[in-house]
């Protein structure tokens, strides 16, 4: 009888222990989240955390196999600076802190995480420059930083994130020319750089971005000719080039894309020709670039 009771007790103990392990995360991961909470006015968030509860119960935090894999605090009243402690969240795959009141510089440690797939920090007041160090074998697929106060040049090292499908740096204060290394982002589908202070000729081979669907370069100071390889982009759906100093964008006349739905440029003849050819709709930038969406 005692043996039976001992075995039952052991089983119950194992079940409780396993549940505890699943509910908890390593101390460093918990402390990293607590620092984020403290530095971004956690007590004033819209959806608050009860720091006495387990991490898996905290709003916007997803835990998988005992590790923090996602932080989604989109539009949640965060105000302050981000901590540079993302090395303590080595399993993080998604960070969505868009539509808050964050300021200060981008934490360099954030981009050294090879597991990170999605970074959304748009519609904040982040400043400083873009980081130059990206994880080797980076899995980063989406980087959205539009409508901040970022400055300086786009670092060539961003091309190390070869898995990138969406890069949106619109509405910042970025300067300089586009790094030629960006042509190595062959998985890229969305390149959006609207409303910066970028300039010079575009020397990178846009045609190497064979999966590109959206090319948004409008309202910068680009000049010269679009690379002839641009005509090879077969999947273009949206092109916006207006507000620049291009001497020629005629490479797009020979575009192989059959799905082009939006085309805006300063070349009124080409605008008219594309419109007559495919009947695409007018610009959708004002409707969607700053859409408050969690997706």
């Amino acid at each position: 009888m005692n043996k039976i009771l001992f075995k039952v007790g052991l089983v119950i103990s194992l079940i409780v222990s396993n549940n505890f392990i699943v509910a908890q995360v390593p101390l460093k991961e918990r402390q990293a989240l607590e620092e984020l909470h403290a530095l971004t006015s956690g007590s004033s968030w819209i959806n608050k955390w009860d720091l006495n509860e387990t991490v898996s119960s905290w709003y916007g935090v997803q835990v998988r196999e005992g590790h923090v894999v996602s932080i989604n605090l989109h539009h949640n009243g965060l105000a302050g600076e981000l901590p540079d402690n993302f090395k303590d969240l080595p399993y993080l795959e998604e960070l969505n802190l868009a539509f808050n009141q964050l300021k200060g510089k981008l934490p360099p440690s954030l981009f050294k995480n090879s597991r990170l797939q999605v970074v959304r920090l748009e519609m904040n007041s982040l400043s400083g420059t873009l980081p130059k160090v990206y994880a080797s074998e980076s899995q980063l697929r989406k980087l959205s930083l539009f409508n901040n106060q970022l400055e300086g040049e786009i670092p060539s090292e961003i091309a190390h994130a070869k898995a990138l499908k969406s890069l949106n740096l619109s509405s910042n204060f970025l300067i300089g020319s586009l790094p030629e290394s960006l042509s190595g982002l062959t998985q890229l589908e969305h390149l959006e750089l609207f409303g910066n202070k970028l300039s010079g000729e575009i020397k990178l081979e846009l045609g190497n971005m064979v999966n590109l669907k959206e090319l948004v370069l409008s309202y910068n100071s680009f000049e010269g000719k679009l690379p002839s390889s641009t005509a090879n982009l077969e999947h273009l759906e949206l092109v916006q080039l207006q507000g620049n100093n291009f001497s020629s964008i005629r490479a797009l006349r020979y575009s192989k894309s059959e799905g082009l739905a939006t085309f805006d440029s300063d070349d009124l003849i080409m605008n008219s020709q594309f419109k007559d050819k495919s009947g695409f709709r007018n610009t959708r930038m004002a409707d969607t670039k700053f859409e408050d969406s969690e997706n």
Side-chain angles (χ1 to χ4, degrees):
M1 184 67 177
N2 288 337
K3 287 184 178 181
I4 295 174
L5 290 175
F6 174 77
K7 289 181 179 179
V8 170
L10 182 61
V11 169
I12 293 173
S13 177
L14 287 172
I15 292 173
V16 171
S17 176
N18 285 337
N19 286 337
F20 180 77
I21 292 172
V22 170
Q24 297 301 314
V25 301
L27 180 60
K28 277 192 174 183
E29 294 186 30
R30 184 185 181 101
Q31 289 175 335
L33 293 178
E34 289 176 345
E35 187 175 2
L36 171 66
H37 182 268
L39 292 180
T40 59
S41 304
S43 60
S44 300
W45 290 357
I46 297 171
N47 296 286
K48 298 177 175 60
W49 289 351
D50 184 344
L51 299 183
N52 294 316
E53 296 294 330
T54 58
V55 169
S56 57
S57 71
W58 294 357
Y59 173 82
V61 177
Q62 181 181 351
V63 175
R64 186 192 312 136
E65 297 179 355
H67 294 285
V68 176
V69 295
S70 177
I71 304 171
N72 188 342
L73 298 172
H74 169 277
H75 209 325
N76 198 46
L78 280 68
E81 298 189 11
L82 291 174
D84 191 14
N85 62 4
F86 288 93
K87 67 182 183 301
D88 296 328
L89 295 166
Y91 292 85
L92 191 66
E93 298 174 2
E94 176 187 16
L95 178 68
N96 184 351
L97 305 179
F99 288 81
N100 283 293
Q101 295 88 48
L102 298 172
K103 61 181 181 178
K105 297 181 180 180
L106 290 167
S109 63
L110 178 61
F111 298 92
K112 296 177 183 178
N113 182 345
S114 62
R115 295 176 186 262
L116 200 61
Q117 298 178 29
V118 176
V119 174
R120 289 194 52 189
L121 295 170
E122 69 264 25
M123 298 298 288
N124 281 287
S125 297
L126 296 167
S127 58
T129 58
L130 292 167
K132 292 186 177 182
V133 178
Y134 295 82
S136 58
E137 301 182 4
S138 171
Q139 297 181 36
L140 190 62
R141 294 184 292 104
K142 183 181 183 72
L143 177 57
S144 181
L145 298 170
F146 71 78
N147 207 65
N148 278 286
Q149 299 173 17
L150 300 171
E151 55 190 10
E153 299 185 352
I154 298 175
S156 60
E157 291 85 354
I158 204 168
H160 293 169
K162 293 187 179 300
L164 265 179
K165 291 189 175 184
S166 179
L167 176 62
N168 192 336
L169 305 176
S170 294
S171 296
N172 281 286
F173 300 101
L174 300 173
I175 62 172
S177 58
L178 292 185
E180 294 183 45
S181 62
L182 294 186
S183 59
L185 296 176
T186 57
Q187 302 301 312
L188 202 65
E189 297 179 1
H190 307 274
L191 177 60
E192 303 183 61
L193 303 171
F194 160 88
N196 280 284
K197 298 181 179 180
L198 298 166
S199 59
E201 293 189 35
I202 296 178
K203 296 182 179 180
L204 67 133
E205 289 299 330
L206 286 171
N208 290 354
M209 298 179 178
V210 293
N211 293 295
L212 203 62
K213 296 179 180 178
E214 296 192 6
L215 176 63
V216 180
L217 305 178
S218 45
Y219 298 104
N220 283 283
S221 297
F222 291 119
E223 56 191 30
K225 298 179 180 180
L226 273 185
S228 58
S229 63
T230 310
N232 299 329
L233 299 175
E234 299 182 1
H235 303 291
L236 282 178
E237 298 174 0
L238 183 150
V239 174
Q240 294 183 315
L241 305 173
Q242 72 271 32
N244 284 288
N245 301 311
F246 289 116
S247 60
S248 174
I249 58 171
R250 292 184 179 181
L252 282 167
R253 245 180 215 181
Y254 309 101
S255 172
K256 298 179 180 179
S257 176
E258 297 181 357
L260 192 59
T262 300
F263 184 90
D264 288 305
S265 76
D266 295 319
D267 188 325
L268 300 180
I269 294 176
M270 285 192 65
N271 288 353
S272 177
Q273 287 176 341
F274 273 103
K275 185 174 182 179
D276 292 341
K277 179 179 177 182
S278 56
F280 55 77
R281 60 187 179 273
N282 292 329
T283 176
R284 67 169 182 80
M285 181 176 294
D287 295 328
T288 65
K289 292 300 103 176
F290 305 116
E291 182 179 352
D292 185 357
S293 169
E294 294 188 48
N295 298 319

